[in-house]
Amino acid sequence: MTTPFVRTFGDGPVPVFALHCSLAHSGSWGGVAMACDPYVTMQAMDLPGHGKSPQPVRPEAAAEVAVAWAAGAIETPMHLFGHSFGAYVALRLAVEHPAKVLSLSLYEPVFFAAAREFDPEVYAARFSEMAELDGLMAAQDYEGAAKRFVQDWGGGMPWEMLPEEMRKMMAAGMPLVVGANEALIEDSAEILSRVSEISVPTLLVDGVESHPIVKPIQDSLAEKISGAQRQTLAGVGHMGVISHPKDVAAAYLAHIGMGA
C-alpha cells in the first residue's frame, strides 16, 4: 500500500489522529495542535492528493484510499479529530475500523447524503450548486470551479485575495473535490445506514456562519449516533479549525476529558 505523509504535533499523553478538509493539508491542524498542548500527541495525515501524500489512482477513490491509509497508520486506538471531508473519513473509520477509534470529535463532516431526509429543500439546493460546479469542471475551468467551491466552503476571504500559489493548488485539487461526490452525496460506501453502529463518544461541532446544509447533516448524524453531543460556535464558519483553532481545540479537549 502506498504510504501517506503523516506529521506529528506535540508529545502529550493522549493519542490523536487528525484528518483535514479538502484542498488543505495536515499543517492546517497546527493551530488546534498548539492549543491542545501539552495534552495530546497529534498525528495528522495528508489526505490523498493533498500536501505530501500521493494522488489516488482515480479521484473517485480518494475516500476509500484515505480510510485505508488512516487505518494502516493507526497502530493502536486513537481519538479522531476531523474537519469537513476529513470528518467524513473519520466517520468511515469509526464504522469500518471501530477497534482503531477511541472517540470522534468532528467539525462539520460534509456527508451530504445525511441531510436528504432532514431538509429536502436545502439538500436539493446543494444539488443545484453542485450542478454549477460540474459545469465548470466539464469546461475544464478548474480555477472557476475552485473559486465557486471556496465561495461556499472557504474562510470568507475573496478569491482574488488568496495567494497565487494557493489558488493554483486549489484549482489543481478540484478533481478530487468533485470525485468525492459519489461518497458524500450518493453514499456509495453505504455508510449512512451504519453510523448507528458507532458506539464511541462522539462530538459534532459546527459554526453559526456555515453553509445551510451543515445543520441537517449534523441533525441526522446526532439522531443516528447514540449519545452524540452537539456544539455550535458563534461567529464561526466552515473553516473554524483554521480561523478559530482555540475554540475548536477547547471543544475537542473537553470531549476527550482534557484541558481546563
Side-chain angles (χ1 to χ4, degrees), residues 95-110:
V95 169
E96 298 177 351
H97 302 274
K100 303 272 187 178
V101 182
L102 294 174
S103 73
L104 292 173
S105 298
L106 308 180
Y107 194 95
E108 299 191 4
V110 285

Side-chain angles (χ1 to χ4, degrees), residues 9-254:
F9 296 100
D11 58 1
V14 179
V16 167
F17 197 83
L19 295 150
H20 64 80
C21 65
S22 295
L23 305 186
H25 55 77
S26 55
S28 67
W29 287 103
V32 170
M34 185 178 299
C36 286
D37 186 61
Y39 303 107
V40 311
T41 296
M42 180 187 293
Q43 294 182 19
M45 184 183 84
D46 281 347
L47 292 170
H50 293 72
K52 297 180 180 179
S53 285
Q55 294 281 343
V57 175
R58 297 181 301 109
E60 296 82 3
E64 284 66 32
V65 172
V67 172
W69 282 359
I74 299 172
E75 297 180 354
T76 58
M78 302 179 77
H79 299 277
L80 300 191
F81 288 5
H83 175 208
S84 193
F85 180 65
Y88 165 79
V89 174
L91 275 174
R92 287 274 300 269
L93 284 164
V95 169
E96 298 177 351
H97 302 274
K100 303 272 187 178
V101 182
L102 294 174
S103 73
L104 292 173
S105 298
L106 308 180
Y107 194 95
E108 299 191 4
V110 285
F111 192 12
F112 301 118
R116 184 185 295 118
E117 64 198 73
F118 269 80
D119 196 329
E121 186 175 339
V122 171
Y123 179 79
R126 178 65 186 143
F127 266 96
S128 176
E129 294 168 1
M130 289 306 301
E132 183 178 347
L133 201 62
D134 288 343
L136 292 166
M137 292 296 292
Q140 297 187 339
D141 183 2
Y142 294 168
E143 181 171 348
K147 181 178 180 179
R148 182 66 183 87
F149 179 77
V150 169
Q151 178 181 323
D152 287 335
W153 300 102
M157 183 179 293
W159 175 257
E160 291 74 18
M161 296 293 291
L162 296 174
E164 182 179 1
E165 284 303 311
M166 182 178 291
R167 296 199 303 269
K168 288 181 179 178
M169 178 273 291
M170 289 180 169
M174 286 308 297
L176 289 169
V177 171
V178 175
N181 287 343
E182 288 187 12
L184 302 180
I185 297 177
E186 303 299 332
D187 190 22
S188 56
E190 299 182 351
I191 295 299
L192 188 59
S193 63
R194 298 183 61 195
V195 293
S196 60
E197 299 171 13
I198 295 173
S199 59
V200 297
T202 299
L203 174 68
L204 302 167
V205 184
D206 49 59
V208 169
E209 307 300 328
S210 295
H211 192 286
I213 203 169
V214 166
K215 185 179 185 300
I217 292 173
Q218 301 284 67
D219 289 343
S220 177
L221 294 175
E223 181 177 276
K224 289 177 170 59
I225 301 172
S226 178
Q229 302 295 308
R230 293 282 300 276
Q231 186 166 345
T232 299
L233 304 179
V236 183
H238 183 64
M239 297 305 291
V241 166
I242 296 173
S243 65
H244 293 73
K246 291 182 180 179
D247 295 328
V248 173
Y252 284 8
L253 285 173

